[in-house]
């Protein structure tokens, strides 16, 4: 079995990666920011999982010790901030994303000579072009890059987040392409859009739910009862279990995945469709939910939204994507179990 370093092990996506890696019999080294986050992982996985505390991934030497764990062959780097609760985008989003990414690559070169592949969790945010979101002639693919720059990070919180993912991913590709850096490993990136799905790890409170699932929490808490909010610009989605599987396939199971970006999406979704599914599948929640026919959250028409094509990803990874209905139903069950 392979020894894998998984960063950010308490995160929403990483928790599912950890679960799937463990089920496949691999040995795992994972990182979290605090002992409080480490304890539930140690309790859930008493065997074949080693947990390191890395309190601040923005420090250039953050991963220096963990990569020295003997025998690591694959690194799955998921640790990066995804939230809009910041005051300074440069220090709270851009630096942790970019320095965290280049820092771990440098540490691998120095101290983990057996690593053959690194997979980085990027995002559809690094693919899209904000100016073309409503352009039906635009087709986003694995080859598309967000043209955002560091000069744009004060435009809006969403732009700052998208810049953090774009700049971090570009920094990673630039690092492995430069022979002077001495990288003996290859790279793949996973670029998901909105990620829904059940919670796999210990959730301290609903306030700490991942950003994408926050809308389902709001629906369950009755906040959509009068009007369904706009779906927003990110009109495509993926289930977290498929994102986890993509990391494992790209990192450990498919040799030809090296050097590729994977645009993991199951297709279009809308808040209106989400509300319809929950209303139909959970009639006992009807007092909290918008009644049938409530306006809002509809998908824009074909002439008002971007197109996308991820055939390359589907051909290489061979994942049969989980349906939106199953994803929503499983997510609601998980959130109800956590008190939603």
């Amino acid at each position: 079995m392979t020894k894998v370093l998984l960063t950010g092990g308490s995160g929403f996506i990483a928790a599912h990666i950890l679960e799937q890696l463990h089920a496949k019999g691999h040995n795992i080294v994972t990182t979290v920011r605090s002992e409080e986050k480490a304890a539930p992982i140690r309790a859930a996985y008493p065997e074949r999982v080693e947990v390191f505390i890395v309190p601040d991934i923005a420090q250039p030497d953050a991963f220096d010790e963990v990569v020295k764990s003997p025998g690591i062959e694959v690194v799955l780097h998921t640790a990066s901030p995804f939230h809009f609760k910041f005051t300074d985008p440069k220090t709270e989003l851009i630096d942790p994303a970019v320095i965290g990414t280049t820092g771990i690559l440098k540490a691998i070169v120095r101290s983990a000579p057996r690593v053959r592949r690194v997979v980085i969790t990027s995002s559809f945010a690094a693919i899209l072009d904000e100016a073309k979101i409503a352009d039906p002639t635009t087709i986003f693919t694995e080859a598309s890059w967000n043209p955002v720059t560091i000069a744009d990070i004060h435009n809006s919180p969403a732009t700052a987040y998208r810049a953090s993912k774009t700049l971090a991913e570009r920094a990673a590709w630039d690092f492995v392409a430069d022979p002077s850096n001495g990288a003996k490993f290859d790279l793949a990136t996973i670029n998901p859009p909105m990620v829904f799905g059940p919670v796999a790890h210990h959730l301290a409170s609903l306030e700490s739910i991942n950003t994408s699932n926050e809308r389902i929490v709001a629906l369950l808490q009755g906040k959509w009862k009068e009007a369904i909010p706009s779906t927003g610009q990110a009109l495509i989605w993926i289930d977290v279990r498929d994102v986890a599987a993509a990391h494992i396939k790209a990192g450990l199971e498919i040799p030809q995945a090296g050097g590729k970006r994977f645009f993991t999406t199951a297709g279009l979704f809308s808040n209106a469709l989400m509300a319809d599914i929950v209303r139909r599948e959970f009639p006992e929640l009807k007092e909290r939910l918008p009644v049938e026919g409530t306006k809002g959250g509809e998908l824009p028409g074909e002439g008002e939204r971007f197109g996308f094509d991820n055939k390359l990803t589907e051909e290489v990874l061979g994942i049969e994507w989980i349906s939106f209905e199953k994803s929503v139903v499983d997510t609601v069950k998980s959130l109800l179990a956590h008190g939603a």
Side-chain angles (χ1 to χ4, degrees):
M1 290 292 101
T2 303
K3 187 169 184 179
V4 181
L5 168 57
L6 170 67
T7 67
S10 62
F12 178 51
I13 293 171
H16 283 273
I17 298 173
L18 179 58
E19 191 174 82
Q20 292 182 23
L21 282 172
H22 194 266
K24 289 173 178 279
H26 297 293
N27 297 307
I28 305 137
V29 178
T30 193
T31 67
V32 293
R33 289 195 306 273
S34 67
E35 183 58 41
E36 181 185 12
K37 292 181 180 293
I41 296 175
R42 292 196 181 105
Y45 302 101
E47 297 177 349
R48 289 188 287 109
V49 177
E50 187 179 3
V51 186
F52 280 73
I53 310 298
V54 177
D56 183 4
I57 65 171
Q59 297 302 312
D61 61 353
F63 295 103
D64 282 9
E65 291 306 310
V66 67
V67 299
K68 293 176 183 175
S69 183
I72 295 171
E73 296 177 61
V74 173
V75 176
L76 307 180
H77 180 52
T78 79
S80 187
F82 180 8
H83 61 86
F84 300 133
K85 301 162 186 170
F86 55 83
T87 53
D88 180 359
K90 176 69 165 60
T91 59
E92 296 176 61
L93 272 185
I94 306 300
D95 288 351
V98 175
I99 297 172
T101 298
T102 55
I104 196 168
L105 298 179
K106 291 173 183 176
I108 293 166
V109 169
R110 285 193 298 266
S111 306
R114 292 186 62 184
V115 170
R116 63 179 185 269
R117 178 162 298 163
V118 176
V119 178
I120 291 176
T121 311
S122 187
S123 173
F124 177 52
I127 289 176
L128 66 81
D129 181 339
E130 291 181 17
K132 297 180 179 178
I133 285 288
D135 177 10
T137 66
T138 292
I139 308 294
F140 293 121
T141 73
E142 293 87 355
S144 304
W145 275 97
N146 188 337
V148 71
T149 71
I150 193 74
D152 302 318
I153 64 174
H154 297 287
N155 292 359
S156 74
T159 299
Y161 166 70
R162 291 165 181 163
S164 76
K165 300 305 288 189
T166 304
L167 296 172
E169 189 187 342
R170 282 200 179 278
W173 287 114
D174 289 347
F175 184 94
V176 297
D178 184 346
S180 69
N181 288 323
K184 301 290 196 292
F185 49 84
D186 63 11
L187 177 69
T189 63
I190 310 296
N191 295 67
M194 296 292 289
V195 182
F196 301 116
V199 176
H201 61 285
H202 173 73
L203 182 65
S205 69
L206 290 178
E207 285 69 44
S208 62
I209 193 73
N210 67 294
T211 304
S212 299
N213 270 345
E214 282 177 351
R215 68 181 67 201
I216 302 183
V217 174
L219 171 61
L220 297 181
Q221 291 178 337
K223 294 177 181 176
W224 293 13
K225 191 165 177 59
E226 301 305 321
I228 301 172
S230 166
T231 301
Q233 293 182 313
L235 305 172
I236 54 178
W237 77 285
I238 189 71
D239 187 274
V240 65
R241 292 162 290 188
D242 287 340
V243 180
H247 281 78
I248 294 168
K249 283 179 174 289
L252 289 82
E253 298 173 354
I254 301 177
Q256 63 269 33
K260 293 181 173 65
R261 303 172 85 206
F262 292 103
F263 181 13
T264 50
T265 179
L268 296 161
F269 84 99
S270 71
N271 284 355
L273 178 57
M274 182 184 293
D276 286 344
I277 292 169
V278 178
R279 188 188 310 108
R280 181 176 67 247
E281 297 298 324
F282 298 90
E284 69 276 17
L285 302 178
K286 67 179 181 181
E287 295 305 319
R288 309 188 203 176
L289 304 174
V291 299
E292 189 171 357
T294 300
K295 296 298 181 187
E298 296 89 358
L299 200 61
E302 286 189 19
E304 303 171 311
R305 65 175 189 250
F306 62 86
F308 62 94
D309 180 346
N310 66 333
K311 289 191 187 72
L312 184 152
T313 294
E314 294 181 338
E315 287 170 3
V316 175
L317 296 183
I319 297 172
E320 188 171 330
W321 309 121
I322 291 168
S323 71
F324 188 60
E325 181 165 330
K326 175 174 173 54
S327 185
V328 170
V329 168
D330 290 353
T331 304
V332 170
K333 288 177 180 176
S334 171
L335 294 174
L336 291 175
H338 280 90

